[in-house]
């Protein structure tokens, strides 16, 4: 059986800074929507680059989001961090520029956001959107190595 423990704040932040991709959970009305996404962590904020579409429509209706980030080596060795917060679309050029610097450092190709969406046979649309998530809660869990040493009860066996 795997032992799991809570990660402290510093451990959560280190995982966020190291990984750069996760799953973004959104809700519109009562319908959940989860997508894989790249992000940039620039403490205390998380920045997300995307193009207009279903994600942006849902965030416009409900700014509360959840980002799940994980590092899984195998079923017995993993870490997982959950961030909840509000996503705000950046509109000021200075803010967008700062966010894009962080985003491009972690995801220089802007994948998978830069995909083609054809409006007709000749024109494609990619309306870029940058969000800043301000975490309201960050929690994490990790597996713990179990000792393989037998536990001593302190009693000697009778002879």
């Amino acid at each position: 059986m795997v032992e799991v423990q809570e990660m402290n704040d510093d451990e959560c932040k280190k995982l966020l800074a190291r990984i750069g991709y996760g799953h973004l959970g959104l809700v519109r009305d009562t319908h959940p929507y989860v997508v894989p996404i790249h992000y940039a962590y620039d403490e205390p904020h998380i920045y997300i680059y995307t193009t207009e579409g279903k994600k942006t429509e849902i965030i416009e209706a409900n700014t509360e989001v959840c980002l799940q980030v994980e590092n899984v080596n195998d079923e017995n060795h993993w870490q997982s961090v959950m961030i909840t917060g509000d996503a705000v679309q950046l509109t000021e050029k200075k803010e967008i520029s700062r966010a894009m610097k962080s985003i491009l450092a972690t995801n220089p190709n802007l994948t998978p956001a830069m995909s083609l969406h054809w409006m007709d046979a000749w024109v494609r649309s990619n309306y870029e959107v940058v969000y800043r998530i301000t975490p309201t809660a960050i929690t994490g869990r990790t597996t713990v190595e179990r000792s393989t040493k037998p536990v001593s009860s302190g009693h000697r066996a009778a002879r």
Side-chain angles (χ1 to χ4, degrees):
M1 185 176 283
V2 176
E3 184 177 344
V4 177
Q5 72 180 20
E6 297 292 321
M7 294 170 63
N8 65 38
D9 195 48
D10 189 50
E11 291 170 322
C12 290
K13 290 176 181 179
K14 283 180 181 176
L15 185 72
L16 285 173
R18 187 168 44 98
I19 298 298
Y21 57 88
H23 295 89
L24 186 66
L26 314 166
V27 174
R28 181 185 223 166
D29 300 321
T30 59
H31 303 286
Y33 184 68
V34 177
V35 293
I37 196 153
H38 281 85
Y39 67 88
Y41 181 59
D42 187 4
E43 191 176 345
H45 303 292
I46 295 164
Y47 295 103
I48 293 174
Y49 170 88
T50 189
T51 53
E52 281 189 352
K54 191 166 187 171
K55 285 186 298 295
T56 57
E57 290 172 13
I58 295 172
I59 292 172
E60 188 174 305
N62 180 5
T63 62
E64 187 176 14
V65 300
C66 178
L67 178 67
Q68 185 268 336
V69 176
E70 64 192 29
N71 181 38
V72 178
N73 293 326
D74 59 48
E75 63 189 27
N76 295 314
H77 303 90
W78 54 262
Q79 296 175 303
S80 176
V81 172
M82 299 284 285
I83 302 96
T84 55
D86 289 312
V88 174
Q89 183 177 345
L90 300 181
T91 57
E92 294 182 21
K93 288 187 181 206
K94 187 176 180 180
E95 284 185 297
I96 293 170
S97 178
R98 177 177 179 206
M100 287 303 296
K101 184 177 179 181
S102 293
I103 290 166
L104 288 167
T106 60
N107 183 12
N109 296 323
L110 299 176
T111 57
M114 288 306 295
S115 58
L116 297 179
H117 176 248
W118 293 98
M119 292 171 43
D120 61 30
W122 300 100
V123 181
R124 71 178 171 96
S125 71
N126 269 334
Y127 298 105
E128 300 171 324
V129 182
V130 178
Y131 288 102
R132 178 185 61 232
I133 299 172
T134 302
T136 55
I138 300 175
T139 60
R141 292 191 174 163
T142 184
T143 54
V144 179
E145 286 289 327
R146 297 184 96 186
S147 174
T148 56
K149 293 169 69 176
V151 178
S152 171
S153 64
H155 292 67
R156 289 187 174 218
R159 292 191 185 186

